[in-house]
């Protein structure tokens, strides 16, 4: 058989194959293999990121959870048991958080007549008296909820509240001083984190700061890199706000276990978890569960190498960690001096002792 005849046969075979693919059966076949390949790729990436043992554990948890949910939905006895347990939990929560008893006064509708200032102050005192734990934080027995700078700082806060309590930051033309203060606080924080020429914004707290950073990185990755299925890699010690951001903005949150000795993010596992859909890495300085600081320079190297973002969560470290080096404590770089760091969240209401709004 000549080369010409072989070429003609090959061409005819390709034409027949193309015609077969254009049929309904062919389209179904293509679609089946496309879906199969996508799920295989996701499973492969998950195994690479978390390891075979953790992947099996995750699969088992997922299957068990779905079995439980199905049993609750379709097995009456299981559903009744869950409903009874939920009712008990709700009752316990109400007993702990909502004052009970005949001395408790509830105002559930607007009063028919206006009330005096003395009456309002008296009612606030009554509400404090109804709760037994109102002043517990003053004894230093509350962890992670109160950051108090002292009575002198509180006096400054109250003076500012009195002056600007009716201001609206959405109207800087009417309240220019509020805009000026916000800009100056942002500038102070940028210098504190060694990026005086950067930009920033004031949010309602650390959760919103983290959420906005995730959204910004998602939009950047979509516009610059064309990523439509974004992923963010976090250590298991990262703040829950990253899970919220993933839920709100359809971002997959890839959780990597921390090193059991150092309690830091496991750099080796994070490196393996990076793929073409990764838009951002996360490091904590310091994290909430342990107070450990992740290896930000190593995370920065990975971020820079793969051209992805690196968010450093300094919400808890806020106004303490930036001064460790000046105070003589050995500290690795963690701020904008580290190449690869693209965003930092900092809570002024923690160790900056600003009011929480």
């Amino acid at each position: 058989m000549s080369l010409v005849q072989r070429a003609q046969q090959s061409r005819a075979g390709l034409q027949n194959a193309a015609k077969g693919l254009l049929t309904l059966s062919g389209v179904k076949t293509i679609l089946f293999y496309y879906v199969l390949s996508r799920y295989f790729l996701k499973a492969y990436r998950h195994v690479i990121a978390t390891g075979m043992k953790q992947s099996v554990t995750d699969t088992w948890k997922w299957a068990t959870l779905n079995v439980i949910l199905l049993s609750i939905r379709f097995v009456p006895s299981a559903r009744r048991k869950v409903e009874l347990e939920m009712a008990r939990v709700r009752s316990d929560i109400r007993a702990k958080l909502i004052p009970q008893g005949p001395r408790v006064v509830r105002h559930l509708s607007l009063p028919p007549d206006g009330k005096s200032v003395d009456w309002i102050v008296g009612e606030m005192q009554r509400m404090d008296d109804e709760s037994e734990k109102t002043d517990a934080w003053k004894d230093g027995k509350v962890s992670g909820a109160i950051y108090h700078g002292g009575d002198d700082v509180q006096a400054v806060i109250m003076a500012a509240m009195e002056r600007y309590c009716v201001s609206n930051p959405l109207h800087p033309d009417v309240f220019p001083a509020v805009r000026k203060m916000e800009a100056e606080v942002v500038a102070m924080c940028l210098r504190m984190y060694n990026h005086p020429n950067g930009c920033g914004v004031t949010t309602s707290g650390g959760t919103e700061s983290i959420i906005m950073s995730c959204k910004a990185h998602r939009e950047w990755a979509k516009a610059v890199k064309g990523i439509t299925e974004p992923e963010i890699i976090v250590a298991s010690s990262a703040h829950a706000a990253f899970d919220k951001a993933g839920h709100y903005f359809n971002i997959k949150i890839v959780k990597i276990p921390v090193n059991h000795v150092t309690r830091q993010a496991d750099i080796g596992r994070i490196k393996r978890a990076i793929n073409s859909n990764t838009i951002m890495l996360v490091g904590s300085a310091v994290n909430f569960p342990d107070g450990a600081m992740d290896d930000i320079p190593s995370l920065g190297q990975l971020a820079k190498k793969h051209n992805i973002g690196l968010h450093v969560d300094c919400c808890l470290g806020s106004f303490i960690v930036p001064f460790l080096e000046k105070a003589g404590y050995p500290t690795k770089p963690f701020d904008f001096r580290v190449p690869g760091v693209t965003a930092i969240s900092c809570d002024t209401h923690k160790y900056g002792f600003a009011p929480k709004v």
Side-chain angles (χ1 to χ4, degrees):
M1 182 181 292
S2 66
L3 292 176
V4 175
Q5 290 175 323
R6 290 180 180 177
Q8 289 175 344
Q9 286 184 349
S10 299
R11 189 181 302 112
L14 290 173
Q15 289 175 346
N16 290 331
K19 289 179 181 179
L21 291 175
L22 292 176
T23 64
L24 180 60
S25 176
V27 171
K28 288 181 178 179
T29 301
I30 294 174
L31 183 61
F32 170 78
Y33 282 110
Y34 171 74
V35 173
L36 184 65
S37 63
R38 283 177 60 85
Y39 276 99
F40 176 80
L41 180 60
K42 289 181 179 181
Y44 171 77
R45 285 173 172 173
H46 188 84
V47 172
I48 293 297
T50 62
M52 180 59 71
K53 182 179 179 181
Q54 186 62 40
S55 296
V56 172
T57 301
D58 291 342
T59 303
W60 173 255
K61 288 181 179 179
W62 174 84
T64 303
L65 177 61
N66 279 274
V67 169
I68 293 174
L69 292 175
L70 286 172
S71 66
I72 293 173
R73 185 175 181 181
F74 296 108
V75 180
S77 59
R79 184 167 62 251
R80 284 194 298 270
K81 184 176 181 180
V82 171
E83 289 174 351
L84 288 172
E85 184 65 20
M86 291 297 293
R88 186 189 66 80
V89 171
R90 283 193 292 266
S91 178
D92 290 344
I93 292 175
R94 279 195 294 266
K96 291 178 181 179
L97 299 182
I98 303 176
Q100 306 289 335
R103 65 188 182 90
V104 176
V105 178
R106 305 191 190 283
H107 303 283
L108 304 179
S109 61
L110 290 172
D113 303 312
K115 301 297 182 180
S116 66
V117 173
D118 291 339
W119 183 90
I120 295 173
V121 172
E123 285 304 296
M124 288 191 291
Q125 182 61 54
R126 181 202 293 271
M127 286 189 287
D128 286 342
D129 294 339
E130 290 171 353
S131 303
E132 299 177 356
K133 301 179 180 180
T134 303
D135 295 331
W137 63 270
K138 294 181 180 179
D139 298 326
K141 297 179 179 179
V142 176
S143 175
I146 303 296
Y147 301 85
H148 191 253
D151 293 338
D152 53 344
V153 175
Q154 183 172 321
V156 175
I157 293 172
M158 295 309 297
M161 293 290 287
E162 183 179 11
R163 180 178 291 269
Y164 298 107
C165 64
V166 299
S167 63
N168 188 339
L170 294 178
H171 297 280
D173 55 330
V174 182
F175 304 100
V178 175
R179 184 214 60 79
K180 183 174 183 289
M181 282 190 290
E182 178 184 9
E184 289 178 352
V185 169
V186 170
M188 292 175 188
C189 291
L190 284 167
R191 281 169 172 77
M192 190 169 67
Y193 286 98
N194 292 293
H195 192 20
N197 297 321
C199 62
V201 65
T202 301
T203 67
S204 61
T207 293
E208 187 185 359
S209 297
I210 289 171
I211 287 174
M212 291 296 96
S213 176
C214 292
K215 184 179 185 298
H217 283 87
R218 185 196 69 170
E219 299 305 310
W220 166 82
K222 183 177 180 180
V224 176
K225 306 178 77 173
I227 296 176
T228 57
E229 296 183 355
E231 298 182 8
I232 293 176
I233 302 174
V234 307
S236 57
S237 57
H239 195 276
F242 291 101
D243 293 287
K244 292 182 180 180
H247 178 73
Y248 292 157
F249 303 131
N250 197 27
I251 301 172
K252 180 181 178 181
I253 305 300
V254 181
K255 289 191 177 183
I256 305 299
V258 296
N259 184 292
H260 295 298
V261 177
T262 65
R263 306 303 298 171
Q264 294 177 311
D266 192 319
I267 302 299
R269 288 194 173 192
I270 290 177
K271 181 179 180 180
R272 292 195 297 271
I274 297 173
N275 59 56
S276 58
N277 284 331
T278 304
I279 64 171
M280 187 175 83
L281 307 179
V282 172
S284 299
V286 295
N287 69 41
F288 279 81
D290 312 297
M293 182 184 293
D294 291 328
D295 187 351
I296 306 302
S298 295
L299 290 172
Q301 290 178 0
L302 289 176
K304 198 165 184 63
K305 177 181 178 181
H306 294 277
N307 188 29
I308 55 180
L310 170 57
H311 180 100
V312 180
D313 178 14
C314 286
C315 289
L316 183 58
S318 60
F319 287 76
I320 290 183
V321 175
F323 299 100
L324 291 178
E325 187 177 348
K326 293 180 181 179
Y329 293 95
T331 308
K332 282 187 176 183
F334 64 93
D335 52 23
F336 287 113
R337 291 173 296 178
V338 177
V341 173
T342 54
I344 294 177
S345 52
C346 164
D347 280 4
T348 58
H349 66 270
K350 287 190 170 67
Y351 294 107
F353 300 129
K356 183 74 170 76
V357 294

